[in-house]
Amino acid sequence: MSRHRDVRNINLEDELDDDALSDGGEEEMTAEQQLQMNDAFERIRDTLGEEGLSEIPDSEIKDAIWYYHFDIEQSLDWCLHEQEKRRAAKLRQAAREREKAQKRMEAAASRTASPIPKGKKGPKTPVRSGTATPLRGLDQRALDLSALNLTEKEEKPQVPEEPPKVSFAREKLLEEAKKALDAEGSNNKKTVSLVVIGHVDAGKSTLMGRLLYELGRLDEKTRVANERGSTKVGKSSFSWAWSLDGTTEERERGITMDIALQSMTTPHRHITILDAPGHKDFIPNMISGAAQADCALLVVDASTGEFEAGFNRGGQTREHIVLVRSLGVSQVIIAVNKLDQVNWDKDRYDEIVDFIRPFLTQSGFQSSKTKFVPVSAMQGINLTTRGDDASKELRSWYEGPSLVDYLDQLEPPTRDIYAPLRIPISNVFKGQGAGVAVSGRLCGGVVQVGDRLSVLPGDESAVVKTIELEEESVQWAAAGSNVTIYLTSIDPVHLNIGSVLCYPSEPVPLATIFTARIIVFDIQVPITSGTSVELFHHSRDVSATIASLIATLDRTTGEIVKKKPRVLTKGSSAEVQIVLRTTSMSGPSVVRPVPLEPFSANKDMGRILLRRGGETIGAGIVLEIFG
């Protein structure tokens, strides 16, 4: 703090221009400055503590950051000094209040004291041991603590919470799960998870927000609030997207950055929606969402030039198709959005369909499991019905199903409830009251309240306190479900995104070296032995090296074409050995293993993706784990 003595004499209210941070100010933050502001604010707020416990409000922290041109050290120095000054002022004020209280009590005592009869002595004034100062009926230390609101409260001994007990034996639980799945099939109200993908600004969040409203999942009050809020910040066209883009940063930037989870019901399906980001900077988050999905909804922008930008090399339309197929998604619906901006031109719709259909086939999607549907998200046309006046132009040439009709036909994959329990953690957050909560998708098995689960990698375990499925508390959940699990008997520090929950008797294997069969995508630079890559598995990404190229394979038969090839080029299939590596720049080098399983044992746990330099270069399945 001594290096910035000039800070202590600055009055930020006089020095700063309040309008500079407002929408209507002369200086408006760029996107880069906004990112700097958010980063600096979070770091300073973490140091100062929560707003309610510190002396510096959020607005003054941001003013300081702006004044010091995003210099975190100088901004923090001012905040710390100002906080110290304000606390000292509070102490002085408390001392003054204490002195006034003493005087009031003395005056009250003198008024109520009984007069001493003439010739008689009054009682002696009580004194403290070792001092001649009268107590005047008050303990000085207690008075000081009370004035500062620091009086110690009597703490009740905390009784440790008894962990919940299981409701079913393992065999009985499996029977209950099988009955429930059979009943789901007979009632034809099946559960399926859907990831929404596509190029940035294709209208994914807007489409889902409007669809939720049309199906009654978004109430009118919330819709009006979102409309007013988005209009106030100058982004009225994003009002429907606000139903899923809930964070301040997403709403300010107008893009989806993380996975948004929602649910809706059609006549024959319960659908869990995973709205994925389309911007290339957030591909890891998109991968995390796609790894939890059964089916995909691809949204493409029909506007002139916009579809081409998303589908050409470097666009996310093409990359997202390849990624979801590599992660096991076999059903996809393609919503051709914003056709109202091209006057519902049938030729434009047919042109887009003709572009995408061959690429879907090339990527491994069967034609019977791909559906195309023309829509307008902003106008709500062909989302749930085609019968209104606004859809006359569309109805002149399209007589097919609406988007909801196609969603209602999605088929969930087979749920393997008899497999060992596997729950890759996609998110960790503080639970209600004490404890911690995690969310993720069951990749096999069944879990119930009261189960004790291991957290791998690591040596920790936890007890399942509560399970939430579709925003409802349930006693158990089966494979294929996207759940939130509240855990007890564990320190939150031991729970990480990418860790896997499993039964202690059936631990998931941990891998640092393994072989995989991969398919190389459309890359410019060939893959050689020693190539450094980023390995993605569910919500975890780690640094790895393709240590050796074992053989190239025939993509159709899987037979070996050539052993120990020198390079792998685009479109080739190969068996390779992958070794994890450490990224530690200081201290002992420790390679952290990844929870993996061979594809033959668990398909969801045996899929991997490889990226290099911000580009997905390949995908594959785990063959064998060596340690």
Side-chain angles (χ1 to χ4, degrees), residues 174-431:
L174 291 173
E175 289 180 14
E176 289 290 327
K178 189 173 188 312
K179 287 180 183 177
L181 292 176
D182 291 343
E184 180 184 277
S186 62
N187 294 334
N188 209 23
K189 198 79 168 179
K190 300 178 181 178
T191 300
V192 65
S193 56
L194 177 79
V195 63
V196 186
I197 58 174
H199 191 63
V200 63
D201 289 335
K204 301 181 295 298
S205 298
T206 298
L207 174 62
M208 300 318 297
R210 183 63 187 260
L211 185 58
L212 289 171
Y213 176 74
E214 298 290 341
L215 293 174
R217 286 286 296 166
L218 177 66
D219 58 70
E220 184 66 19
K221 182 179 179 181
T222 304
R223 184 197 70 79
V224 172
N226 289 343
E227 185 176 0
R228 289 175 178 172
S230 59
T231 302
K232 186 176 180 180
V233 298
K235 296 184 180 293
S236 58
S237 60
F238 291 91
S239 63
W240 292 111
W242 277 29
S243 303
L244 292 102
D245 295 342
T247 67
T248 302
E249 190 170 2
E250 285 180 321
R251 292 182 172 185
E252 288 178 350
R253 297 182 61 179
I255 59 173
T256 302
M257 301 170 64
D258 206 347
I259 295 295
L261 195 65
Q262 278 285 1
S263 62
M264 65 183 184
T265 302
T266 64
H268 303 101
R269 298 290 182 269
H270 290 297
I271 302 176
T272 300
I273 301 170
L274 300 148
D275 185 31
H279 198 283
K280 63 180 180 180
D281 291 346
F282 305 108
I283 284 290
N285 293 344
M286 178 266 165
I287 292 173
S288 174
Q292 303 174 59
D294 301 318
C295 313
L297 173 63
L298 172 66
V299 183
V300 297
D301 188 343
S303 304
T304 305
E306 293 300 322
F307 167 74
E308 288 75 13
F311 191 75
N312 291 341
R313 180 176 177 81
Q316 265 52 65
T317 300
R318 178 186 294 265
E319 185 173 11
H320 283 195
I321 291 173
V322 173
L323 287 175
V324 294
R325 185 66 192 98
S326 301
L327 291 168
V329 173
S330 60
Q331 301 172 76
V332 61
I333 298 171
I334 300 89
V336 184
N337 190 25
K338 302 185 183 181
L339 275 170
D340 54 304
Q341 297 187 14
V342 292
N343 298 318
W344 298 101
D345 186 355
K346 182 180 184 300
D347 292 338
R348 177 61 170 170
Y349 173 76
D350 292 338
E351 178 186 7
I352 291 172
V353 172
D354 291 342
F355 260 101
I356 296 180
R357 196 187 297 277
F359 186 74
L360 289 171
T361 304
Q362 178 186 340
S363 301
F365 287 99
Q366 298 179 12
S367 58
S368 61
K369 295 186 177 182
T370 58
K371 307 294 181 183
F372 291 83
V373 56
V375 298
S376 170
M378 286 295 292
Q379 298 183 16
I381 295 177
N382 206 31
L383 301 186
T384 59
T385 179
R386 295 178 292 105
D388 54 2
D389 292 337
S391 61
K392 285 182 179 179
E393 293 181 80
L394 172 62
R395 284 186 286 126
S396 65
W397 55 268
Y398 179 79
E399 295 296 334
S402 66
L403 175 59
V404 165
D405 293 334
Y406 279 132
L407 293 175
D408 200 44
Q409 298 170 12
L410 292 173
E411 285 295 330
T414 304
R415 314 296 190 188
D416 191 358
I417 62 174
Y418 297 101
L421 178 67
R422 302 288 185 258
I423 311 177
I425 297 175
S426 61
N427 198 8
V428 181
F429 49 95
K430 185 176 180 180

Side-chain angles (χ1 to χ4, degrees), residues 517-593:
R517 177 179 177 178
I518 66 170
I519 294 176
V520 181
F521 296 158
D522 186 11
I523 59 175
Q524 300 295 312
V525 180
I527 297 174
T528 61
S529 296
T531 296
S532 296
V533 296
E534 290 296 313
L535 173 71
F536 285 80
H537 179 259
H538 287 277
S539 298
R540 181 184 288 261
D541 62 289
V542 296
S543 300
T545 300
I546 298 180
S548 63
L549 310 181
I550 299 173
T552 53
L553 309 172
D554 184 278
R555 292 188 61 171
T556 305
T557 64
E559 296 180 355
I560 295 177
V561 175
K562 183 180 180 180
K563 293 185 177 181
K564 296 183 179 181
R566 293 181 59 188
V567 298
L568 299 179
T569 56
K570 65 178 182 179
S572 59
S573 176
E575 183 178 339
V576 300
Q577 184 183 71
I578 298 176
V579 178
L580 303 190
R581 55 188 172 88
T582 179
T583 56
S584 176
M585 301 300 293
S586 60
S589 297
V590 178
V591 178
R592 298 187 180 277

